[in-house]
Amino acid sequence: MRTLIALLRAVNVGGTGKLPMADLRAMAEAAGFTDVRTYIQSGNLVFSSSEEMSVVRAALEQRLAAYAGKPVGILLRTADELQDVLEANPFPQAEPSKVGVLFLDAPPPSDTIETVSGKDCEELALGQREVFIHYPSGMGRTKLRLPALSGMSEGTTRNINTVAKLVKLAAE
């Protein structure tokens, strides 16, 4: 049995994708996962499973699609992988709420940083399957676009505070 973290994409963002966390927990439990917990209303799920990642993803995607009537993107990480992301933060001196981690299914292209548009004061760094972005003026004000990622499956962003909280929940 291992602890996994599912990061759902486009849940409770801008009034779309409404999914009560109680419903998400119920779906995870119905899929046979244990120690199911959620964190805040943006689709962060911590749970235990002995299944392969592909089986876990398929089980969640099936239930979420049935609930939402459309596919819901899911990014999965083990507790250790999420801990590694937290430790790899290249902007440790920045305010944690202004450091975003864009989680992806695959490594970002090596030219990701060179192809951004709308960059102002943001700083970027590539991770294993993440892009770290420091938003000194805040995430809500950025015009930053990452065209190098357009051919990849869509990702989802969490700030470092959320990543740290998920790491803590996964360790409990």
Side-chain angles (χ1 to χ4, degrees):
M1 199 66 79
R2 64 183 165 174
T3 302
L4 300 173
I5 298 91
L7 306 170
L8 279 58
R9 186 176 179 284
V11 170
N12 283 348
V13 176
T16 64
K18 296 285 185 189
L19 172 63
M21 294 300 97
D23 290 353
L24 178 58
R25 287 189 299 273
M27 285 181 227
E29 289 167 351
F33 307 142
T34 60
D35 304 318
V36 177
R37 293 151 286 163
T38 56
Y39 176 65
I40 63 176
Q41 295 294 314
S42 58
N44 302 297
L45 181 68
V46 179
F47 59 97
S48 296
S49 176
S50 58
E51 298 289 342
E52 294 295 321
M53 295 285 257
S54 60
V55 173
V56 169
R57 178 188 300 273
L60 284 173
E61 285 177 341
Q62 177 186 13
R63 283 168 174 77
L64 287 163
Y67 180 92
K70 62 181 181 179
V72 175
I74 302 170
L75 284 291
L76 286 176
R77 296 293 190 271
T78 65
D80 288 342
E81 288 172 332
L82 203 64
Q83 176 69 45
D84 291 346
V85 168
L86 184 60
E87 291 173 3
N89 175 13
F91 310 112
Q93 302 306 316
E95 184 179 327
S97 66
K98 293 185 177 182
V99 176
V101 181
L102 173 59
F103 289 90
L104 304 166
D105 276 329
S110 59
D111 67 344
T112 298
I113 295 172
E114 291 80 24
T115 64
V116 300
S117 62
K119 185 174 183 256
D120 184 20
C121 57
E122 298 88 359
E123 299 174 274
L124 293 91
L126 302 183
Q128 295 296 311
R129 289 183 293 157
E130 303 81 27
V131 178
F132 294 89
I133 308 169
H134 176 214
Y135 300 93
S137 298
M139 288 184 197
R141 296 177 180 218
T142 189
K143 304 285 188 226
L144 189 68
R145 299 290 172 259
L146 297 135
L149 302 179
S150 63
M152 300 182 71
S153 66
E154 298 184 36
T156 188
T157 301
R158 301 295 187 275
N159 71 35
I160 287 293
N161 285 332
T162 298
V163 174
K165 182 61 177 180
L166 292 169
V167 165
K168 183 178 176 184
L169 279 174
E172 292 175 352

